[in-house]
Amino acid sequence: MTLERPMRVSVVDPITPAIERVRTILFKPFDLKKWFVIGFCAFLAFLGKDGGGPGGPGGPGGPGGGGPHDVGQALEQAKYFIQENFNWIIPLAVFVAALVIVLWLVVVWLSSRGRFMFLHCVAENKAEVKIPWAKFQQHANGLFLFRIVLGLIGFFAILIPILLIIGCVVMIAAGGGLSVLGILGLVIIILVIVAIAITLALISKFTMDFVVPIMFLRTTSCRAGWREFLRVLSLNKGRFILYILFQIVIGIAIGAIVITGMCITCCCAACILVIPYIGTVLMLPLLVFKRSYSLYYLRQFGPEFDVFGLETAVTLAD
């Protein structure tokens, strides 16, 4: 397929149709059953994505924080504890690691299925679970494998710099103080970690926002979807950079809306939002908007990227 660079692509234009899409799907007419069905698909799609809450203030560096001597003493105590309890620490660590890996695989697999189910609901304005679950099984499995490989690459790519940081901290503790080279090394390693994290976040963002819809349209593999998207990206690098920046703005706006709702309800909304599935159903208008926004943005690159055209085709066929 030969791709051409469109004359005009806007990050603002998709806002209005995305809002109208939310109204069409969720409020014209309002159907509570439809909310719960689409909400279930969204719950699967975002499973494990936003599970963590903000950290508390009890971080390191508070009053009474120790210096290099205290760090070295803590390391010696940890070493002694491990040596004394080696017979049960290792089996426990292996069990916990295996359990975490299994849970991670299950969550990624379910969310990969959910991504296509939620996209199906938004693109075709249908509240269905069984049909997209079966229809996009192969696509979801391909996405699952891609995310597993990406996750493993990211894990080891970040693990190595983290081990280097730990090594630097141990050397600093053993040496009894900081040095210019030690500080410079830590800064460089931290910058490498940040660069890796940003790269992985961009790959994940582009996969969910654009590659998944391409797979949805073409009924193709994740690799083929990425190949097609890369051709579009290569011709529109600046536009996609602007898209990412505008996504940050949208994220801030959505965060402000959520916080405002919590304040108005005296944090009652916060208590409900943390309830699994129920919180997703309440957040459904915002989730449908975000999914619709990326789809309308992608549609600007040509009619061959219009997932909403499938809804029209199905309607005409009926």
Side-chain angles (χ1 to χ4, degrees):
M1 182 182 354
T2 303
L3 297 175
E4 296 182 0
R5 192 172 188 272
M7 294 294 295
R8 181 179 182 276
V9 174
S10 171
V11 294
V12 177
D13 290 351
I15 293 178
T16 300
I19 293 175
E20 185 57 34
R21 192 71 183 174
V22 174
R23 293 174 180 169
T24 301
I25 294 176
L26 300 179
F27 298 102
K28 292 183 179 180
F30 176 81
D31 185 345
L32 189 59
K33 180 181 178 181
K34 187 177 183 180
W35 275 60
F36 276 100
V37 173
I38 298 178
F40 177 73
C41 296
F43 171 72
L44 289 183
F46 296 97
L47 193 62
K49 182 178 176 58
D50 302 311
H69 174 72
D70 295 324
V71 174
Q73 186 178 7
L75 291 173
E76 285 297 325
Q77 291 176 352
K79 180 181 177 181
Y80 175 77
F81 177 80
I82 292 174
Q83 290 174 344
E84 289 295 315
N85 302 276
F86 191 79
N87 59 331
W88 64 267
I89 287 180
I90 296 302
L92 179 62
V94 171
F95 173 77
V96 171
L99 182 61
V100 169
I101 291 173
V102 170
L103 290 176
W104 175 57
L105 291 174
V106 171
V107 167
V108 175
W109 180 73
L110 287 174
S111 65
S112 297
R113 300 294 289 265
R115 289 286 176 172
F116 285 95
M117 296 164 66
F118 185 50
L119 175 57
H120 169 84
C121 294
V122 173
E124 301 188 20
N125 189 16
K126 294 179 179 179
E128 297 174 333
V129 173
K130 291 183 179 180
I131 292 177
W133 174 273
K135 181 179 179 180
F136 298 103
Q137 177 181 357
Q138 185 175 354
H139 306 74
N141 289 339
L143 177 63
F144 167 71
L145 292 176
F146 175 82
R147 295 174 68 188
I148 292 300
V149 172
L150 181 64
L152 291 175
I153 293 174
F155 174 76
F156 288 107
I158 293 181
L159 177 64
I160 295 174
I162 289 177
L163 292 177
L164 291 176
I165 289 179
I166 295 174
C168 289
V169 172
V170 172
M171 292 176 60
I172 291 172
L178 296 173
S179 65
V180 176
L181 289 178
I183 295 174
L184 181 61
L186 286 175
V187 171
I188 292 175
I189 294 173
I190 291 172
L191 291 177
V192 169
I193 292 176
V194 172
I196 294 173
I198 292 175
T199 301
L200 293 173
L202 286 175
I203 294 174
S204 178
K205 179 69 174 173
F206 286 146
T207 300
M208 298 308 170
D209 284 10
F210 303 119
V211 176
V212 168
I214 291 174
M215 296 171 64
F216 179 86
L217 281 167
R218 310 284 187 265
T219 62
T220 188
S221 65
C222 190
R223 182 185 299 179
W226 256 106
R227 282 200 299 265
E228 184 170 349
F229 172 69
L230 285 175
R231 290 197 292 268
V232 179
L233 179 62
S234 63
L235 297 174
N236 302 274
K237 298 182 184 69
R239 289 167 170 172
F240 282 101
I241 292 174
L242 185 59
Y243 172 85
I244 293 297
L245 295 176
F246 198 71
Q247 284 287 296
I248 296 174
V249 175
I250 291 177
I252 294 173
I254 290 177
I257 292 173
V258 174
I259 292 174
T260 301
M262 292 179 181
C263 294
I264 292 175
T265 59
C266 299
C267 293
C268 292
C271 297
I272 299 175
L273 288 175
V274 297
I275 302 175
Y277 177 45
I278 300 300
T280 305
V281 173
L282 292 179
M283 291 285 290
L284 201 53
L286 296 177
L287 296 177
V288 172
F289 169 80
K290 288 192 67 177
R291 177 72 277 185
S292 301
Y293 175 87
S294 62
L295 297 177
Y296 281 114
Y297 183 83
L298 180 62
R299 189 172 72 169
Q300 296 179 99
F301 292 94
E304 64 272 24
F305 297 109
D306 183 12
V307 300
F308 300 110
L310 294 177
E311 179 189 4
T312 304
V314 170
T315 303
L316 291 175
D318 294 340

Short mmCIF file of all heavy atoms in Angstrom, two decimals, residues 9 58 76 78 113 116 131 135 149 192 195 218 221 317:
data_model
loop_
_atom_site.label_atom_id
_atom_site.label_comp_id
_atom_site.label_asym_id
_atom_site.label_seq_id
_atom_site.Cartn_x
_atom_site.Cartn_y
_atom_site.Cartn_z
N VAL A 9 -3.26 17.68 9.41
CA VAL A 9 -3.62 16.79 10.52
C VAL A 9 -3.62 17.63 11.79
O VAL A 9 -2.64 18.30 12.10
CB VAL A 9 -2.63 15.62 10.66
CG1 VAL A 9 -2.94 14.80 11.92
CG2 VAL A 9 -2.67 14.73 9.43
N GLY A 58 6.43 8.91 53.41
CA GLY A 58 7.46 8.30 54.23
C GLY A 58 8.62 7.77 53.43
O GLY A 58 9.03 6.63 53.63
N GLU A 76 25.56 -4.72 55.88
CA GLU A 76 26.12 -5.82 56.66
C GLU A 76 25.03 -6.57 57.42
O GLU A 76 25.04 -7.81 57.49
CB GLU A 76 27.17 -5.28 57.64
CG GLU A 76 28.49 -4.89 57.01
CD GLU A 76 29.20 -6.08 56.38
OE1 GLU A 76 29.09 -7.19 56.93
OE2 GLU A 76 29.84 -5.91 55.33
N ALA A 78 21.84 -6.77 56.56
CA ALA A 78 21.06 -7.51 55.58
C ALA A 78 21.79 -8.79 55.16
O ALA A 78 21.17 -9.86 55.02
CB ALA A 78 20.77 -6.64 54.36
N ARG A 113 -6.88 -9.10 25.32
CA ARG A 113 -8.21 -9.43 24.80
C ARG A 113 -9.14 -8.24 24.97
O ARG A 113 -9.94 -7.90 24.09
CB ARG A 113 -8.77 -10.66 25.53
CG ARG A 113 -7.96 -11.93 25.42
CD ARG A 113 -7.90 -12.49 24.02
NE ARG A 113 -9.16 -13.05 23.56
CZ ARG A 113 -9.48 -14.34 23.65
NH1 ARG A 113 -8.63 -15.19 24.21
NH2 ARG A 113 -10.63 -14.79 23.16
N PHE A 116 -9.10 -5.22 22.31
CA PHE A 116 -9.89 -5.39 21.09
C PHE A 116 -11.38 -5.38 21.38
O PHE A 116 -12.17 -4.90 20.56
CB PHE A 116 -9.47 -6.69 20.40
CG PHE A 116 -8.15 -6.61 19.71
CD1 PHE A 116 -7.00 -7.03 20.36
CD2 PHE A 116 -8.05 -6.09 18.43
CE1 PHE A 116 -5.76 -6.95 19.73
CE2 PHE A 116 -6.82 -6.00 17.79
CZ PHE A 116 -5.66 -6.43 18.44
N ILE A 131 -18.86 -11.87 21.22
CA ILE A 131 -18.47 -11.76 19.81
C ILE A 131 -17.04 -11.25 19.65
O ILE A 131 -16.21 -11.89 18.98
CB ILE A 131 -19.47 -10.88 19.03
CG1 ILE A 131 -20.83 -11.59 18.94
CG2 ILE A 131 -18.94 -10.55 17.65
CD1 ILE A 131 -21.90 -10.78 18.27
N LYS A 135 -13.92 -13.24 18.14
CA LYS A 135 -13.53 -12.74 16.82
C LYS A 135 -12.07 -12.31 16.79
O LYS A 135 -11.36 -12.53 15.78
CB LYS A 135 -14.44 -11.57 16.43
CG LYS A 135 -14.14 -10.98 15.07
CD LYS A 135 -15.12 -9.85 14.75
CE LYS A 135 -14.82 -9.23 13.39
NZ LYS A 135 -15.77 -8.12 13.08
N VAL A 149 7.18 -9.75 25.05
CA VAL A 149 8.55 -9.53 24.58
C VAL A 149 9.01 -8.12 24.95
O VAL A 149 10.13 -7.92 25.44
CB VAL A 149 8.63 -9.75 23.05
CG1 VAL A 149 10.00 -9.32 22.52
CG2 VAL A 149 8.37 -11.21 22.71
N VAL A 192 19.98 7.34 31.68
CA VAL A 192 19.78 6.18 30.79
C VAL A 192 18.46 5.48 31.12
O VAL A 192 17.68 5.11 30.23
CB VAL A 192 20.96 5.20 30.92
CG1 VAL A 192 20.64 3.88 30.21
CG2 VAL A 192 22.23 5.81 30.33
N ALA A 195 15.61 7.55 29.81
CA ALA A 195 15.51 7.43 28.35
C ALA A 195 14.87 6.10 27.95
O ALA A 195 14.02 6.04 27.06
CB ALA A 195 16.89 7.57 27.71
N ARG A 218 -7.32 -4.37 9.58
CA ARG A 218 -6.73 -5.24 8.56
C ARG A 218 -6.86 -6.72 8.89
O ARG A 218 -6.51 -7.57 8.06
CB ARG A 218 -5.24 -4.91 8.38
CG ARG A 218 -4.93 -3.44 8.18
CD ARG A 218 -5.27 -2.96 6.78
NE ARG A 218 -4.80 -1.60 6.61
CZ ARG A 218 -5.57 -0.52 6.79
NH1 ARG A 218 -6.85 -0.67 7.11
NH2 ARG A 218 -5.09 0.70 6.63
N SER A 221 -1.53 -9.28 11.86
CA SER A 221 -0.72 -9.53 13.05
C SER A 221 -0.20 -8.22 13.63
O SER A 221 -0.23 -7.17 12.98
CB SER A 221 0.45 -10.44 12.71
OG SER A 221 1.34 -9.79 11.81
N ALA A 317 -25.24 -3.05 5.42
CA ALA A 317 -25.45 -4.46 5.13
C ALA A 317 -26.71 -4.99 5.79
O ALA A 317 -27.43 -5.81 5.23
CB ALA A 317 -24.23 -5.28 5.58
#
